Amino acid sequence: MAMMIMHLSFVNGCQENERSYLLDFRGGLNDFSGRLSSWQQFNCCQWEGVMCDYHSGHVVSLNLKHRRHDGGQSLSGEIHPALFNLQHLQYLDLSWNDFNRTAIPLQLAKLQSLTFLSLAHGGFGGQVPLELTNITTLQHLDLSMNHFNPTLIPPQLEKLQRLTFLNLADAAFVGEIPLELGNITTLRYLDLSGPFWVPPPRGWVLLAGELESRRFAGWIRNLRSLEYLDMSFVNLFMANDDWSNALNSLSNLREIHLAQCGISGTIPSLLNLTHLSHLHLSRNPFSSPLPAWFQNVSSLVSLHLSLCGLNSSIPSDFLHRSSLKHLYLSGNAYLGGVIPHSIANFSMLETLDLSYNNFTGDLPPFGSFIGRLSSLTHLDLSNNQLSGRIPRTISKLSSLGHLDLSNNRLSGTIPDTISKFVRLQKLLLSSNNLTGSISPSALETAHLKEVDFSENQLTLNISSSWLPQLAQLEYLGLRSCNLQGEIPPFLSTQFSLEDLDLSENNIVGNIPTWLWELPSLTRLNLSHNRMEGSLPYFISMSIVVVDLHNNSLHGSIPDYSGWYLDMSENRFNGSIPLSICSADDGLVFLDLSKNGLSDVIPINLVRCFQLTILNLAQNYFEGEIPEDLGNLTLLETLNLSGNKLQGVIPPSIANCTKLRVFDMGKNKIQGSIPVWIGELAELRILSLSFNKLQGNFPPELLRLRNLQILDLTHNNLSGFIPESLGKLNAMANQTQSGEIEMSLSELNYGFLSGPMFQIVFVNQLTLWIKGRATPYPKIINAFKFMDLSYNKLSGNIPNEMGDLKGLIALNISNNNMGGNIPESLGGMAHLECLDLSGNILRGNIPADLVNLTFLSVLNLSYNNLSGLIPQGKQFATFEASSYLENPNLYGPPLKNGILRSGSGERGGQAQWNSTGVTDRDPNTDEMDRWWAVSVGLCFGVGFASVIAVLCFHLKWRYKCFALQDGFIQYLF
């Protein structure tokens, strides 16, 4: 009889009422890919994702997890309440779907038989319902990667006394971790890691605030069954002894992930963890050598110590055990010396990443020891100081799929044995001193996906008839490889090519039509060549990045629907096409500067609601600035300088609160400086020079605490310079690296990143001192200046001007400033250029100015200064022209005591007009030449190395900022 019942259950399939519940549940879902097409048969136990109990026919498992590798779209919609009538359901997985930020239904707690619940990456929002803690049968709970409103981890979780798996990663939990978690002693897997790749909204506090060491040790050591622990990006701020003692008590631990947790000091011993196989401690400021205890951890398979401030060298006996498969020690600037031969002991090593360190000497002798690493698939030695040649024996690493030796000092030719890497997918050799020709054999490895030979002294020696078998090639970087002639024809057959960089070569001719038709091409960089001709009427919307700047292209700007377009420094004419920004996403970056474009700025630009960078400088645009530009609220750079624009600055620009660069210079703008500019709190650069602005210097500008460059030269401003200049915090800050100047900040460069590329643009400004315009196409991060010259400002120079101790250059020349030169200027320790000429200043030159040891340009001419010129230090380097037309000044370097126009070394004429502005004689070039040389020495020497590295080596810029991506994203 029992067998008869079992047979009938099998024949009849699922319970009819439960079939009805499932159909109601399906009715609330959107299934665009037809994943649930099988939910039509009579027996629901045979439906996709449904499993029934063999004996009773009750539905016990519902697995609708979306597996992205299977293709198709995820499920969406809402969860119908009928689902919660499946009282026998034990397993429920709705992960990796999209429930459009709907809240987790409270009725879920009715499923009192559940042992497995996964809603990970399900697109849920709202709050985490406390009712979930009433499902006391739960053993597996995964709520990770959802969009919950900020909420505390409910301490009621301790009611789940059977829980072995708990994943709350990146689920918007805030505040402190409840001590009650330590009462779930059955836990074997615990993930409380916070978000890293996307910063939280302002005001949020990541887990777990500042978790005290003793609190952590108090609850974590109770989890004796724990095998997996991930608290990455949680601010633990733990003392070494506390966290090491707590973890050492968990003898079953196999994986520890504590990346970027604020742990400092030395890396304490974890020798008690005899089963430890994965240890991830990256992005913690240990600032210590590699500890010796690592060599005794025989079970270790994966070790991550990137960006940990490690110093010294790798000990020869470091990790002599052979179990290690993955070793990451990248981004430790003080970890260097020679790469030890003992690495060859890791016979099972698959990944070796020693990039961004300070290793020196020749490449390891691959033939003698590292060639024994037969399992090595990923080798990254980039961004070190390795030298010598690439040995031919490197081919002995027969399993290698990823080889990155870029940004070193390697020399010689690329060995032809490269072609023996039959599994090689990535070959990155950029930014070295490699010479010779790139032979076809180096590119004929069938599986190659990424190749970068950029920034060497290589030449491409490939015939026009060469057609390689590179069916998988996705990225090709041949920047600055001395390419001659037209675009290589072999590229016409690269149908998988996504990213092509041929910039900084000598390519000529038209851009071939077939290049625009490559089916996979998404990023194209042909900048800094000698390409001519016009472009097609329309550029495919699949090419999302187009960089053609600095060529000789002409004709009209094409229709474009991508998100990055740089066609600056060409010979385009006509107007901006009305169809621009027609795509839903729209442009993020648009640079059409330095062309021959004319007409008005089209109002359709306001459709580019995603626009971050807009640069239309140095064209022939006329008319008024469109009022609707203020609708582009994401703008960070707005540069309309060097056109023929007129009218006033539209008040709507006040809506662009993210602006960091605002340049309206060299136009015909009228009216006064708007006071609302003082509300643009993110502003770093403000240039309104060479316009027709009138009125006073608005004190509201002093609210711009992040302002580093202020250029108001050549206007008709009047009134006093306001006091309280010290409120300009960035200018007052003497440090050359600070909160607003981290590394190479966004003041100079804008960043738009994709999976395989980094695009960098440079802001440009012109500095006026001594009546000479000097362009600075690459504004140095530390460069801070104020230029108020050629206006009608009056009154005294405020004594508070000396509070701006971070200024490199100060120009108040050709105004009506009176009174004495403030002695406080002598405290501006970083000042390199000071121009107070063309005013009515009187009194002595303050002796404290002698202490400005960096001062290399000084102009006090055309004033009423008197007395003895201070002597010594930097003042010994200034020529007589610095003091021209101050009749009562005397002392060296003046000849015969005084120097007036028409005499001495200056040798020219100067007359004053009725406005008090000097009309300079164009034939008097000696002073201008002296000024140019001085400025060149002043700025060129100090910043040449930074510019050489970061402005001409694109790959270096990419690597530099890739290391600091998280911090920069959070800060800016």
Side-chain angles (χ1 to χ4, degrees):
M1 185 68 178
M3 293 183 63
M4 176 76 67
I5 295 174
M6 183 173 65
H7 177 70
L8 290 175
S9 175
F10 177 79
V11 171
N12 292 333
C14 68
Q15 301 287 333
E16 179 60 27
N17 60 336
E18 294 187 359
R19 182 180 187 275
S20 177
Y21 297 150
L22 288 173
L23 289 176
D24 289 342
F25 168 64
R26 182 194 173 189
L29 300 177
N30 300 317
D31 181 19
F32 298 110
S33 298
R35 290 174 53 199
L36 306 183
S37 58
S38 64
W39 286 35
Q40 298 177 1
Q41 306 171 13
F42 176 77
N43 187 0
C44 65
C45 296
Q46 297 177 357
W47 292 355
E48 174 71 24
V50 179
M51 183 179 294
C52 299
D53 181 85
Y54 185 80
H55 299 286
S56 66
H58 289 299
V59 175
V60 294
S61 174
L62 183 58
N63 186 353
L64 298 181
K65 177 179 180 179
H66 174 52
R67 296 172 177 85
R68 291 175 294 173
H69 60 273
D70 292 339
Q73 298 184 31
S74 60
L75 299 173
S76 59
E78 297 180 350
I79 297 178
H80 193 280
L83 175 67
F84 312 123
N85 293 326
L86 300 174
Q87 292 297 307
H88 298 274
L89 198 64
Q90 300 173 23
Y91 186 106
L92 178 60
D93 191 344
L94 300 177
S95 58
W96 293 92
N97 288 293
D98 184 9
F99 289 96
N100 196 27
R101 297 180 183 265
T102 59
I104 297 175
L106 303 180
Q107 302 96 312
L108 194 60
K110 294 171 60 178
L111 301 177
Q112 286 293 305
S113 298
L114 272 184
T115 60
F116 183 104
L117 176 60
S118 178
L119 304 178
H121 214 297
F124 291 100
Q127 295 282 346
V128 177
L130 295 180
E131 286 78 3
L132 288 182
T133 62
N134 294 328
I135 311 176
T136 56
T137 53
L138 273 179
Q139 299 175 19
H140 181 114
L141 177 60
D142 191 345
L143 302 178
S144 60
M145 293 184 289
N146 278 291
H147 307 289
F148 302 131
N149 295 334
T151 184
L152 300 173
I153 296 178
Q156 291 88 344
L157 283 174
E158 71 168 316
K159 293 164 61 177
L160 305 178
Q161 286 297 310
R162 300 183 184 180
L163 208 61
T164 61
F165 183 104
L166 177 60
N167 191 346
L168 303 180
D170 191 17
F173 287 106
V174 298
E176 294 183 337
I177 299 173
L179 297 176
E180 289 80 0
L181 275 186
N183 296 330
I184 312 176
T185 56
T186 54
L187 275 178
R188 291 185 303 199
Y189 183 107
L190 177 60
D191 190 343
L192 300 177
S193 58
F196 170 65
W197 54 93
V198 178
R202 294 185 182 276
W204 284 27
V205 181
L206 294 181
L207 279 177
E210 297 184 4
L211 186 64
E212 296 178 0
S213 303
R214 294 180 180 177
R215 290 190 77 254
F216 172 80
W219 66 267
I220 198 69
R221 60 163 46 100
N222 294 331
L223 305 179
R224 301 289 182 175
S225 301
L226 204 62
E227 299 175 4
Y228 180 101
L229 174 64
D230 191 344
M231 296 182 66
S232 299
F233 316 116
V234 175
N235 297 322
L236 300 178
F237 293 98
M238 293 184 295
N240 292 337
D241 291 342
D242 286 336
W243 76 271
S244 62
N245 291 338
L247 295 180
N248 272 313
S249 64
L250 307 180
S251 58
N252 291 313
L253 269 178
R254 284 166 169 76
E255 291 196 35
I256 299 175
H257 300 258
L258 295 176
Q260 194 165 321
C261 288
I263 309 172
S264 59
T266 58
I267 302 175
S269 172
L270 295 175
L271 281 176
N272 289 354
L273 305 181
T274 56
H275 301 293
L276 187 64
S277 60
H278 294 78
L279 180 59
H280 294 233
L281 299 176
S282 297
R283 296 178 180 266
N284 286 294
F286 290 116
S287 302
S288 66
L290 284 163
W293 63 267
F294 277 134
Q295 61 182 309
N296 297 318
V297 185
S298 59
S299 59
L300 205 58
V301 172
S302 177
L303 176 61
H304 291 244
L305 291 173
S306 298
L307 292 162
C308 285
L310 300 177
N311 52 43
S312 188
S313 58
I314 298 179
S316 59
D317 59 351
F318 172 68
L319 280 172
H320 64 266
R321 305 287 183 175
S322 60
S323 60
L324 199 68
K325 290 185 178 181
H326 307 283
L327 177 59
Y328 296 88
L329 298 178
S330 64
N332 295 286
Y334 299 103
L335 180 65
V338 177
I339 299 175
H341 291 205
S342 59
I343 286 181
N345 295 330
F346 307 142
S347 58
M348 300 177 63
L349 198 65
E350 298 175 7
T351 302
L352 177 59
D353 188 349
L354 302 180
S355 60
Y356 298 96
N357 290 305
N358 195 30
F359 290 109
T360 57
D362 293 347
L363 279 175
F366 294 92
S368 63
F369 80 94
I370 207 169
R372 299 201 301 267
L373 301 176
S374 59
S375 301
L376 197 64
T377 62
H378 183 115
L379 176 61
D380 191 345
L381 303 178
S382 63
N383 295 277
N384 282 284
Q385 300 184 49
L386 299 170
S387 56
R389 305 172 67 90
I390 301 175
R392 292 174 53 81
T393 52
I394 194 173
S395 61
K396 292 186 176 182
L397 301 176
S398 57
S399 299
L400 209 59
H402 178 120
L403 176 61
D404 190 350
L405 303 177
S406 58
N407 294 296
N408 278 288
R409 301 175 179 178
L410 302 176
S411 58
T413 59
I414 299 175
D416 54 8
T417 54
I418 290 288
S419 60
K420 296 183 179 180
F421 287 118
V422 294
R423 301 178 183 178
L424 197 63
Q425 295 184 5
K426 295 185 180 182
L427 177 60
L428 309 176
L429 303 177
S430 63
S431 302
N432 280 287
N433 297 314
L434 300 173
T435 56
S437 299
I438 303 173
S439 65
S441 62
L443 292 171
E444 288 181 336
T445 303
H447 298 288
L448 273 178
K449 291 185 177 180
E450 297 183 30
V451 179
D452 195 349
F453 294 147
S454 301
E455 297 292 346
N456 282 287
Q457 301 175 44
L458 298 166
T459 56
L460 188 64
N461 187 17
I462 295 176
S463 67
S464 59
S465 61
W466 180 64
L467 294 176
Q469 300 298 316
L470 294 173
Q472 300 185 49
L473 189 63
E474 298 175 356
Y475 168 68
L476 179 60
L478 297 175
R479 183 182 66 259
S480 188
C481 281
N482 196 29
L483 296 181
Q484 307 287 334
E486 298 183 344
I487 293 177
F490 80 89
L491 293 173
S492 64
T493 62
Q494 305 310 307
F495 302 125
S496 297
L497 193 63
E498 298 177 2
D499 193 341
L500 177 62
D501 186 352
L502 302 179
S503 60
E504 300 178 29
N505 285 291
N506 292 302
I507 301 175
V508 298
N510 296 339
I511 299 176
T513 303
W514 54 258
L515 185 61
W516 301 111
E517 297 173 352
L518 290 176
S520 301
L521 192 65
T522 58
R523 297 174 289 275
L524 176 64
N525 188 348
L526 300 177
S527 62
H528 289 276
N529 280 288
R530 294 187 290 146
M531 311 214 64
E532 300 176 333
S534 58
L535 299 181
Y537 175 76
F538 173 77
I539 295 178
S540 170
M541 63 184 302
S542 63
I543 308 179
V544 297
V545 174
V546 177
D547 189 348
L548 303 177
H549 81 274
N550 203 329
N551 279 284
S552 297
L553 300 167
H554 59 78
S556 301
I557 300 293
D559 288 346
Y560 180 67
S561 301
W563 60 268
Y564 183 104
L565 181 64
D566 189 346
M567 296 190 174
S568 60
E569 299 183 68
N570 280 285
R571 296 189 287 119
F572 293 108
N573 52 34
S575 57
I576 298 177
L578 296 177
S579 58
I580 206 163
C581 294
S582 58
D584 292 337
D585 294 334
L587 281 169
V588 175
F589 180 108
L590 178 61
D591 190 345
L592 303 178
S593 61
K594 297 184 180 180
N595 280 290
L597 301 173
S598 57
D599 208 344
V600 297
I601 297 176
I603 194 172
N604 59 299
L605 278 178
V606 302
R607 294 184 302 184
C608 306
F609 60 92
Q610 300 275 13
L611 204 61
T612 301
I613 309 297
L614 176 59
N615 189 351
L616 304 179
Q618 298 187 44
N619 281 287
Y620 299 97
F621 293 110
E622 54 189 12
E624 297 186 350
I625 302 170
E627 174 74 25
D628 289 343
L629 279 186
N631 294 333
L632 303 178
T633 56
L634 298 181
L635 273 181
E636 297 180 8
T637 292
L638 177 58
N639 190 345
L640 304 179
S641 64
N643 284 286
K644 299 180 180 180
L645 300 171
Q646 54 190 357
V648 299
I649 300 174
S652 64
I653 302 295
N655 298 327
C656 303
T657 57
K658 298 181 182 295
L659 272 179
R660 305 179 208 176
V661 178
F662 186 32
D663 191 347
M664 295 284 182
K666 294 187 178 179
N667 280 289
K668 300 178 181 179
I669 306 297
Q670 299 175 334
S672 58
I673 298 177
V675 296
W676 50 257
I677 290 181
E679 302 299 325
L680 302 178
E682 300 296 324
L683 208 60
R684 268 68 167 165
I685 299 176
L686 174 60
S687 176
L688 303 175
S689 61
F690 287 88
N691 279 291
K692 299 180 179 180
L693 295 171
Q694 299 176 339
N696 296 333
F697 184 119
E700 286 79 5
L701 294 188
L702 302 184
R703 298 178 184 174
L704 301 176
R705 299 179 179 275
N706 292 317
L707 194 67
Q708 293 186 221
I709 293 177
L710 176 62
D711 188 0
L712 302 178
T713 185
H714 284 81
N715 279 288
N716 293 311
L717 301 177
S718 57
F720 300 156
I721 298 175
E723 298 180 354
S724 302
L725 291 169
K727 292 181 179 180
L728 298 172
N729 290 2
M731 293 185 180
N733 185 3
Q734 295 189 67
T735 61
Q736 301 310 307
S737 62
E739 183 177 351
I740 64 169
E741 300 174 341
M742 279 301 299
S743 183
L744 297 171
S745 79
E746 79 295 346
L747 170 62
N748 314 314
Y749 304 100
F751 303 93
L752 297 168
S753 308
M756 296 165 53
F757 68 100
Q758 184 96 1
I759 297 171
V760 180
F761 63 91
V762 184
N763 292 304
Q764 175 172 318
L765 213 60
T766 300
L767 174 64
W768 278 78
I769 297 183
K770 288 196 172 184
R772 186 75 179 220
T774 303
Y776 288 88
K778 300 170 180 67
I779 300 169
I780 310 303
N781 169 53
F783 192 75
K784 308 174 184 180
F785 78 74
M786 178 183 292
D787 191 345
L788 307 178
S789 62
Y790 290 91
N791 280 288
K792 298 178 181 179
L793 298 172
S794 57
N796 297 338
I797 299 175
N799 189 62
E800 290 79 4
M801 185 69 76
D803 294 337
L804 306 182
K805 299 183 184 299
L807 283 184
I808 299 293
L810 175 62
N811 188 354
I812 317 180
S813 65
N814 295 285
N815 279 284
N816 296 313
M817 305 301 298
N820 298 328
I821 299 175
E823 294 183 359
S824 62
L825 299 188
M828 302 173 72
H830 294 283
L831 203 61
E832 300 180 13
C833 304
L834 176 62
D835 192 343
L836 305 179
S837 62
N839 284 288
I840 50 176
L841 299 171
R842 61 180 184 273
N844 297 332
I845 300 174
D848 289 346
L849 296 185
V850 174
N851 297 324
L852 300 178
T853 55
F854 290 103
L855 197 63
S856 59
V857 175
L858 176 67
N859 190 0
L860 302 178
S861 61
Y862 297 95
N863 278 289
N864 294 320
L865 299 172
S866 58
L868 178 66
I869 297 174
Q871 303 297 310
K873 296 182 180 180
Q874 289 300 100
F875 269 65
T877 67
F878 301 137
E879 299 182 9
S881 55
S882 294
Y883 312 105
L884 177 69
E885 284 295 331
N886 285 280
N888 296 316
L889 278 180
Y890 62 91
L894 300 182
K895 292 185 178 181
N896 301 322
I898 61 173
L899 179 67
R900 298 182 179 177
S901 61
S903 63
E905 296 180 5
R906 181 70 174 90
Q909 298 293 325
Q911 288 111 20
W912 287 85
N913 59 29
S914 59
T915 65
V917 177
T918 308
D919 295 325
R920 308 293 175 127
D921 187 341
N923 297 320
T924 58
D925 293 334
E926 181 179 349
M927 185 174 180
D928 291 337
R929 286 197 298 270
W930 174 86
W931 153 247
V933 171
S934 298
V935 170
L937 291 174
C938 176
F939 301 108
V941 174
F943 308 122
S945 59
V946 175
I947 291 302
V949 170
L950 293 172
C951 291
F952 297 103
H953 291 267
L954 185 63
K955 197 72 176 181
W956 293 12
R957 292 195 299 262
Y958 171 72
K959 297 292 187 181
C960 174
F961 285 96
L963 281 175
Q964 304 186 54
D965 53 356
F967 184 84
I968 291 177
Q969 287 180 19
Y970 178 74
L971 192 59
F972 300 113

